[in-house]
Amino acid sequence: MASRRSILWAFVPLCVAYLYFTPYFRQINNPNENVRLYLVRSLVDRGSLVIDPELHEWGYVNDRSVYQRRNYSAKAPGTSLTGVPGYWLQKQVFKALGWELTKARITYVVRVTAVVIPTLLFLLWFGRFLQRQGASPHLRDLTMVALGLGTPLYAYGTVFVAHAQVVVCAFGAFMLTRVAADLDREGVSPPHAVAWRLGAAGLLAGWAALTEYQVVLVSAVLLLHALLALRHRWRTLWFCAGALPVAVLLLGYNYLCFDGIWEFSYSHLENAEFSHNAATGTFGFTEVKLASLVDILFSPGNGMFFFSPLLALGTVGCVLALGRRRQRLDGAIALAAFAGVIAYLAGNVAWRAGWAVGARYATVVVPFLAYGVVLLIVPLQERTSGWVLSAVAAASGIAAVGVSSVAVVYPHYPQEFRNPTFDLGWALVRDGYLPYSIGWFFGLYGRKALYPLAPFLALALYLLLAGPGS
């Protein structure tokens, strides 16, 4: 008999892991995070898109766009917009209590409200979706934990950058469309049950592109998914209706900043090197290079399959799904999203994108490949081959957690390290150089700060291997 183990067994250790560390390094002046933070503060404090006062008060930051001598964030605005509610609420509370608003405190709040909490809720939603697709409790928990702790999603899910948010939006749109298509085929649910899910899917797919412009490739695949999955294809219009307000918001943002709806921030970059890269080819894309492709997938410095071997198994699962009628579309959509993003990166002159954990712009396809593990194993769960594949997945998941989870202590791997996981990440842990954490509240510093986290990590690893009643 299948176990009825609660999904909370996997969700609780993920919550603790994501909330435990706060990797904040003031001296780094991380442009990827700070320029987004500058826009959040400008929007809340002055209702402006210009970040000149923040530059004057908090100091120089890279990734800026300059137009008519005014400075703007060079990043897509989605992440900053989602940070506004958290900072606005923090400002009201701090003002009422007479507390000082510092850059570090603002950073922490927008991280938690705009990135950490949405990522955790997404992981819970992801697990429930896998259960709906027939995954056993063990396979569900294995995939949840491996995705949450065994991919760069963990590192990016703790800082105020776009990569975790696009995961939430893009695969969230996929899950909503998948469920809407099931309801559409069954024909027993009221029409509004399908309509609101498709509208929400379109909204999320649009917001993913508003958060990282190049993710429009994945958004296009998600639109195709809606078109092919629905029995009544005209209902794809609900998907488009959901995406339309986001498109209007983006074009309005461009007009307010740069006096033209098609004038994107990347056309006005202040940094000469970034500007040159963006102007090369088509938004930096020239031609797919084999050497770049190998690095993106396999290198110890950036390789997706090096940082998470389980995703290689998931890719196999997506390919094999093409031969199964019920799984064919899911496998094809996952592979299309994966191929589009990887091809774009392999042909981009600046795919490494500075200090990063893994090929950071490929993070958006991580849940699609993780879902491929479920596509691979679910049809075989009651067979010996299913048990063997589950064991392989568990071993791959443990290896992935060992490689990827350590990046949370310093989610800014410099390009100079050939193998940053071991040359930097694990070296920092070994020598006790750990970021702010809950352990500090108990007077635990250095490696001792890991003590409160250890039982929850042990539970997560246990769930990867087996778990009660599996």
Side-chain angles (χ1 to χ4, degrees):
M1 180 180 292
S3 165
R4 295 181 179 273
R5 182 175 69 235
S6 170
I7 197 171
L8 295 179
W9 282 101
F11 185 59
V12 168
L14 288 172
C15 287
V16 174
Y18 272 75
L19 292 166
Y20 191 80
F21 286 112
T22 302
Y24 180 76
F25 307 97
R26 181 175 56 84
Q27 295 87 345
I28 295 296
N29 194 29
N30 179 13
N32 196 15
E33 182 172 48
N34 282 343
V35 77
R36 291 180 165 98
L37 184 70
Y38 285 19
L39 179 54
V40 170
R41 191 184 185 211
S42 178
L43 285 168
V44 173
D45 288 0
R46 302 187 314 282
S48 173
L49 299 173
V50 177
I51 62 171
D52 288 1
E54 284 67 35
L55 286 166
H56 178 74
E57 180 180 347
W58 281 346
Y60 172 83
V61 69
N62 214 330
D63 277 355
R64 291 179 293 120
S65 294
V66 179
Y67 180 71
Q68 294 185 349
R69 297 186 177 182
R70 292 191 293 268
N71 289 276
Y72 301 90
S73 169
K75 300 294 187 181
T79 301
S80 295
L81 293 175
T82 55
V84 165
Y87 172 51
W88 180 87
L89 181 61
Q90 178 190 27
K91 186 177 179 181
Q92 310 313 310
V93 172
F94 275 46
K95 182 178 180 180
L97 297 176
W99 294 349
E100 180 185 4
L101 275 171
T102 64
K103 183 181 177 184
R105 290 173 175 175
I106 297 172
T107 301
Y108 177 76
V109 167
V110 297
R111 282 178 174 181
V112 171
T113 58
V115 181
V116 178
I117 291 176
T119 303
L120 288 171
L121 292 177
F122 165 78
L123 289 169
L124 180 62
W125 182 16
F126 178 75
R128 294 194 180 281
F129 172 75
L130 298 185
Q131 194 169 294
R132 182 185 176 97
Q133 304 311 311
S136 68
H138 175 227
L139 180 57
R140 174 201 69 197
D141 294 348
L142 186 160
T143 311
M144 271 181 70
V145 171
L147 174 62
L149 301 180
T151 70
L153 177 62
Y154 182 26
Y156 292 126
T158 61
V159 292
F160 189 57
V161 296
H163 310 306
Q165 288 189 337
V166 294
V167 165
V168 173
C169 292
F171 201 77
F174 174 84
M175 292 189 288
L176 283 167
T177 303
R178 183 68 165 77
V179 174
D182 289 343
L183 297 175
D184 186 46
R185 283 195 299 270
E186 292 166 2
V188 296
S189 299
H192 71 265
V194 176
W196 79 257
R197 285 178 172 85
L198 290 174
L203 179 67
L204 287 178
W207 201 272
L210 184 70
T211 302
E212 273 187 358
Y213 292 137
Q214 71 276 8
V215 175
V216 70
L217 296 169
V218 178
S219 299
V221 172
L222 293 169
L223 174 60
L224 179 64
H225 178 221
L227 186 64
L228 296 177
L230 292 166
R231 185 180 66 174
H232 301 92
R233 293 188 177 178
W234 66 266
R235 288 180 170 170
T236 307
L237 293 174
W238 288 112
F239 186 100
C240 298
L244 182 60
V246 184
V248 172
L249 177 62
L250 173 59
L251 298 180
Y253 174 82
N254 290 343
Y255 182 79
L256 291 173
C257 291
F258 311 113
D259 290 334
I261 61 174
W262 302 113
E263 287 291 320
F264 289 84
S265 57
Y266 288 168
S267 299
H268 303 276
L269 293 170
E270 177 267 346
N271 184 289
E273 180 183 355
F274 296 169
S275 180
H276 172 75
N277 291 338
T280 301
T282 305
F283 299 108
F285 180 85
T286 54
E287 60 180 354
V288 176
K289 301 176 182 65
L290 180 60
S292 298
L293 183 63
V294 171
D295 273 355
I296 291 167
L297 295 179
F298 302 108
S299 75
N302 301 91
M304 174 183 287
F305 296 151
F306 176 86
F307 276 84
S308 188
L310 186 71
L311 299 183
L313 188 66
T315 306
V316 174
C318 292
V319 172
L320 294 180
L322 298 178
R324 302 174 182 140
R325 185 177 61 84
R326 295 186 63 181
Q327 294 183 334
R328 185 173 296 133
L329 181 59
D330 285 2
I333 292 300
L335 288 173
F338 171 62
V341 169
I342 297 303
Y344 171 77
L345 290 180
N348 197 288
V349 294
W351 71 265
R352 292 182 182 273
W355 292 16
V357 177
R360 61 187 179 98
Y361 288 124
T363 307
V364 63
V365 299
V366 161
F368 290 91
L369 298 185
Y371 178 47
V373 176
V374 174
L375 294 177
L376 175 65
I377 297 177
V378 161
L380 307 172
Q381 282 181 130
E382 304 301 324
R383 304 179 188 176
T384 302
S385 55
W387 287 97
V388 172
L389 286 172
S390 293
V392 173
S396 301
I398 291 173
V401 171
V403 174
S404 290
S405 63
V406 70
V408 75
V409 304
Y410 190 77
H412 317 288
Y413 286 168
Q415 296 176 204
E416 289 76 11
F417 288 89
R418 293 177 60 86
N419 191 339
T421 299
F422 297 98
D423 295 341
L424 180 60
W426 279 110
L428 291 172
V429 174
R430 179 196 65 208
D431 296 336
Y433 293 106
L434 302 177
Y436 300 108
S437 70
I438 293 175
W440 287 32
F441 288 100
F442 301 100
L444 299 173
Y445 304 100
R447 283 180 294 181
K448 291 182 179 180
L450 294 172
Y451 293 169
L453 182 62
F456 297 96
L457 289 180
L459 173 60
L461 292 175
Y462 177 59
L463 293 172
L464 285 172
L465 286 171
S470 295

